[in-house]
Amino acid sequence: MITAKACAKIILFGEHAVVFGKPGIAVPVKKCYTLATISSEPFSYTTDKELNEEETIKMAKLFKLLFSKLDTNKNLSAHIESNIPVGCGMGSSASLSISLIRAFSNFLSLNYDAEKINSLAFECEKIFHGNPSGLDNTVITYEMPVFYRRKKTEFFELKKPIHLVIGNTGIKSSTKEAVEGVRKRYEKDERKYLHAFDEIEKITEDARESLEKGDIRKVGKLMSYNHKLLKELEVSSDALDGLVSKAIKAGAYGAKLAGAGLGGCMVALADERNKDKIMKSMKDSCHEVIYTVVS
Ligand code: PMV
């Protein structure tokens, strides 16, 4: 029996624009993770969560893909446990695939390196999201802050640890639908969308520099500006906007929706002194509040 782990992530900048070739910044969230345990038994799998019909179909496709890529006799069973909220922008699907790939690789002594794990996880992400950018699987595989562009990935270091308060609206959202919605609206009004993507690109580039310098105030401002642009892309919601305002009122440096939007999570940039106040302000309008420090 072998168990492997994969963390969660949060996107700090550039979601949606990243699908159109712009950069995105994501960081690992290590306190949330998936554990996959593999045993040598006739194939079956169990999870700690109840799966709906659509999720069950996707799991079947995931195992089919993994078994074909791993070239194994399939006499392996898997048990999956996770404390990552599902469908909420924290990378639950990429984390699931990566924990399974790591567990299979260890169990079958395949010794997959990070590059191999990442490219296989990208294939798995297509089952869940259709046309993913690759940002989620990359940040979760490497567990480092990443400045990601479709063809060029750069890892970078934060000058100072950042304190994040993540608010989960509890409203599940489909990344595939959110991405398709943006694409449709882009096709109707290319000028507006290209302008927004260009602005998001500038924000993301500035944000990387600010994170590398430790200019947390500037990072916060850029997050709030990024949220405003995501609203223009029509991927926010009243619940997300409400949480963003509450966090800012409680003293956050900045806040934005995180991930595909329409529901799911938002993230606020806090500091150690005001994180409790920010968490308290969000608690009543939130399904779950997660505090994490990324260094
Ligand atoms: O929050 P998630 O894990 O659903 O990621 C969505 C990020 C998008 O940029 C909207 C899509 C993508 O593939 O990058």
Side-chain angles (χ1 to χ4, degrees):
M1 202 159 83
I2 273 186
T3 298
K5 188 171 175 176
C7 67
K9 59 90 211 195
I10 199 91
I11 301 180
L12 293 183
F13 294 95
E15 51 274 89
H16 287 290
V18 74
V19 177
F20 290 78
K22 302 297 187 188
I25 293 179
V27 292
V29 175
K30 293 186 186 166
K31 75 188 285 184
C32 299
Y33 52 84
T34 310
L35 292 175
T37 303
I38 305 294
S39 328
S40 185
E41 285 164 9
F43 175 67
S44 71
Y45 76 88
T46 50
T47 63
D48 63 347
K49 292 186 181 64
E50 256 186 55
L51 304 180
N52 63 28
E53 201 183 325
E54 197 189 330
E55 288 162 345
T56 310
I57 293 170
K58 286 182 177 165
M59 286 299 278
K61 287 187 182 166
L62 174 65
F63 279 109
K64 191 169 172 216
L65 175 75
L66 289 177
F67 283 134
S68 77
K69 298 279 180 190
L70 298 163
D71 197 20
T72 163
N73 65 11
K74 301 182 192 169
N75 266 331
L76 296 174
S77 72
H79 176 68
I80 299 140
E81 283 171 53
S82 178
N83 62 355
I84 307 175
V86 176
C88 291
M90 292 191 68
S92 60
S93 62
S95 180
L96 162 71
S97 304
I98 291 166
S99 64
L100 277 170
I101 296 166
R102 284 182 177 149
F104 281 129
S105 165
N106 292 348
F107 196 89
L108 300 165
S109 306
L110 300 171
N111 299 321
Y112 282 175
D113 61 9
E115 205 182 322
K116 176 80 188 165
I117 292 170
N118 195 24
S119 68
L120 187 46
F122 181 59
E123 295 306 311
C124 299
E125 279 288 271
K126 290 183 189 164
I127 296 173
F128 293 99
H129 300 312
N131 177 27
S133 64
L135 175 58
D136 285 14
N137 47 280
T138 302
V139 66
I140 292 176
T141 299
Y142 290 92
E143 296 188 0
M144 279 184 74
V146 62
F147 181 86
Y148 178 90
R149 246 183 234 270
R150 268 199 193 256
K151 288 199 172 85
K152 193 165 177 236
T153 305
E154 288 168 348
F155 298 99
F156 68 99
E157 293 203 3
L158 306 176
K159 172 91 184 272
K160 292 182 193 156
I162 51 172
H163 298 258
L164 302 176
V165 177
I166 298 168
N168 176 6
T169 60
I171 303 163
K172 279 196 188 184
S173 74
S174 155
T175 300
K176 193 164 180 268
E177 274 168 32
V179 168
E180 281 169 4
V182 171
R183 164 88 47 199
K184 273 194 196 133
R185 293 190 289 281
Y186 156 81
E187 279 162 6
K188 278 199 192 135
D189 192 349
E190 262 191 40
R191 248 177 71 134
K192 174 181 162 189
Y193 276 72
L194 286 178
H195 177 71
F197 295 149
D198 284 345
E199 283 297 292
I200 293 174
E201 178 176 33
K202 280 187 220 145
I203 291 174
T204 307
E205 283 166 349
D206 277 5
R208 174 180 174 174
E209 207 184 297
S210 306
L211 286 163
E212 284 177 328
K213 281 190 195 151
D215 187 347
I216 299 299
R217 276 179 203 283
K218 174 119 187 248
V219 175
K221 278 197 185 128
L222 292 167
M223 283 170 71
S224 297
Y225 185 30
N226 196 162
H227 182 70
K228 186 171 168 280
L229 289 161
L230 286 162
K231 272 176 81 163
E232 285 176 21
L233 300 184
E234 296 179 39
V235 291
S236 193
S237 69
D238 290 347
L240 288 163
D241 293 345
L243 287 171
V244 165
S245 316
K246 285 196 164 141
I248 304 272
K249 268 195 205 128
Y253 293 114
K256 63 181 271 293
L257 72 86
L262 301 177
C265 287
M266 50 70 71
V267 58
L269 185 62
D271 68 30
E272 220 167 350
R273 287 158 303 168
N274 66 13
K275 63 149 177 32
D276 291 326
K277 191 171 168 208
I278 295 168
M279 288 172 82
K280 206 169 152 213
S281 78
M282 288 161 51
K283 206 169 144 262
D284 291 340
S285 343
C286 238
H287 177 72
E288 187 182 6
V289 185
I290 298 165
Y291 166 67
T292 188
V293 183
V294 183
S295 50

